[in-house]
Amino acid sequence: EDLQQAKQISSEALERMAKVDVLVVDKTGTLTEGKPSLTDVVAGEGFDERRLLALAAALERGSEHPLAEAIVAGAKERGAESLEAQDFEAVVGQGVRGRVDGSAIALGNAAMMAQHGGLDDHWQQEAERLQGEGKTAMFVAVDDRVAGIVAVADRIKETTPGAIEALHAEGLRIVMATGDSRRTAEAIAGQLGIDEVRADVSPEDKRALVEELHGQGLKVAMA
């Protein structure tokens, strides 16, 4: 009876999928492996790469986020000193901050850096260069001065290009929705031939995207 019910559910799902016009896909863990790794450490003048990495890893050590795990693992692999953080604070949509080895440390995006000395053209260009390679770049500030960037990348699954090609052959439009920056998202989308990119989106934004597509009279599926 359970097997028969499973077959019926599968059949109904296939029938619904045959009517779909648009497939909305997340990036991390769907198109990519979901296991990012540290790729780059760019230290500013007066800062050592391993020191910068040690400070970033100290903030991220208590987090279970995949990007945090990548930084902590990368710091260990590169022989960075193991430090502890105090007064840890996570700022939603921006990053994390706290005190490490007597200094105020912040790790996050441009919005986070706006509160910690701001970004000059050099650091913006460095971030854009890394994002253009499909990497996620995070700024590190030390005592309200931008000290460098740590970048991580999540490899595209081996099966993803073939899957996208097959879906396109079936006439589906593919929309990638991700919390990553637009430049990073577009780099990944460009490699895969994704039709449309929605970047810097929250879970609420993804729901709004589906409603927007429904409003256009389209049948939508989400992976």
Side-chain angles (χ1 to χ4, degrees):
E1 185 179 338
D2 289 343
L3 180 59
Q4 188 62 37
Q5 185 177 18
K7 286 181 177 179
Q8 182 179 349
I9 292 171
S10 296
S11 176
E12 291 172 355
L14 287 170
E15 288 176 12
R16 288 197 298 272
M17 192 65 192
K19 300 174 183 177
V20 168
D21 303 301
V22 181
L23 177 63
V24 178
V25 295
D26 191 16
K27 180 181 76 67
T28 303
T30 303
L31 301 177
T32 65
E33 294 179 350
K35 297 177 181 178
S37 58
L38 181 72
T39 57
D40 300 81
V41 181
V42 183
E45 185 177 353
F47 292 94
D48 173 80
E49 287 186 8
R50 283 203 288 185
R51 174 67 175 174
L52 192 74
L53 192 50
L55 295 171
L59 280 183
E60 295 285 37
R61 193 156 278 116
S63 174
E64 295 181 355
H65 192 282
L67 297 184
E69 292 177 5
I71 292 171
V72 173
K76 185 176 180 180
E77 289 169 3
R78 299 188 185 201
E81 184 181 3
S82 181
L83 301 173
E84 296 295 326
Q86 292 82 39
D87 303 326
F88 176 86
E89 180 188 6
V91 183
V92 177
Q94 295 188 16
V96 293
R97 58 191 173 199
R99 295 197 66 82
V100 182
D101 206 20
S103 294
I105 310 298
L107 172 69
N109 58 20
M112 172 68 87
M113 292 303 106
Q115 305 173 42
H116 296 275
L119 294 172
D120 60 22
D121 290 344
H122 166 72
W123 288 119
Q124 290 176 337
Q125 289 168 7
E126 279 294 302
E128 288 175 2
R129 175 181 66 81
L130 294 163
Q131 291 165 354
E133 297 171 0
K135 299 170 182 175
T136 299
M138 290 162 281
F139 302 101
V140 184
V142 179
D143 292 326
D144 287 334
R145 173 188 169 193
V146 178
I149 295 175
V150 291
V152 302
D154 188 6
R155 290 187 300 180
I156 294 171
K157 291 178 182 176
E158 289 183 5
T159 54
T160 297
I164 296 296
E165 185 178 345
L167 290 165
H168 275 149
E170 292 294 327
L172 270 74
R173 171 180 159 201
I174 313 296
V175 179
M176 183 174 78
T178 176
D180 271 346
S181 71
R182 172 156 295 279
R183 192 174 290 270
T184 299
E186 287 181 344
I188 298 296
Q191 293 177 45
L192 295 171
I194 300 291
D195 301 296
E196 184 179 345
V197 174
R198 300 292 182 98
D200 296 308
V201 299
S202 66
E204 291 75 20
D205 293 331
K206 292 176 185 179
R207 285 194 287 271
L209 168 60
V210 172
E211 291 172 3
E212 174 191 328
L213 294 168
H214 279 158
Q216 297 173 16
L218 299 167
K219 299 291 185 182
V220 183
M222 190 162 186

